[in-house]
């Protein structure tokens, strides 16, 4: 999915792991659950850092193509490879 850097920074980074030491044993997962609904769905520490990450890839459209479509530069997390059209 191509998305703006701003939008991507609200998504969970697939490389982040949460550790719950209070569980039987130690539980490490790539999700977070808070019973208190006032907390962010995606905690700040678990959010994507977009172009600050070595896996971030920019959409290969040229500047002229972006200007003609009147859209900001977009990119994607390269962890799963390049997005394909549906």
């Amino acid at each position: 999915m191509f998305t703006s850097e701003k939008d991507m920074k609200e998504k969970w980074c697939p490389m982040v792991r949460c550790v719950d030491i209070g569980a039987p044993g130690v539980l490490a997962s790539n999700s977070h659950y808070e019973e208190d609904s006032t907390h962010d769905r995606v905690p700040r520490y678990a959010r994507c850092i977009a172009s600050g990450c070595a896996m971030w890839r920019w959409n290969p459209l040229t500047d002229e193509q972006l200007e003609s479509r009147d859209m900001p530069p977009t990119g994607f997390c390269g962890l799963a490879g390049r997005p394909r059209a549906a």
Side-chain angles (χ1 to χ4, degrees):
M1 155 179 78
F2 291 109
T3 186
S4 71
E5 244 190 307
K6 181 183 175 198
D7 289 344
M8 196 58 140
K9 288 181 177 183
E10 297 297 318
K11 307 254 186 276
W12 188 282
C13 172
M15 299 304 290
V16 172
R17 298 294 179 265
C18 292
V19 177
D20 183 1
I21 299 174
V26 175
L27 173 67
S29 68
N30 67 343
S31 63
H32 177 75
Y33 174 74
E34 284 284 341
E35 289 185 29
D36 182 356
S37 62
T38 61
H39 286 87
D40 290 334
R41 180 89 173 121
V42 179
R44 183 171 294 287
Y45 66 82
R47 293 179 187 168
C48 173
I49 59 172
S51 64
C53 176
M55 289 185 285
W56 178 258
R57 299 293 178 258
W58 289 106
N59 185 345
L61 293 177
T62 65
D63 289 339
E64 293 79 24
Q65 289 172 316
L66 289 171
E67 287 174 11
S68 70
R69 295 180 185 197
D70 192 32
M71 59 189 278
T74 59
F76 62 96
C77 177
L79 181 64
R82 182 180 164 81
R84 296 181 185 221

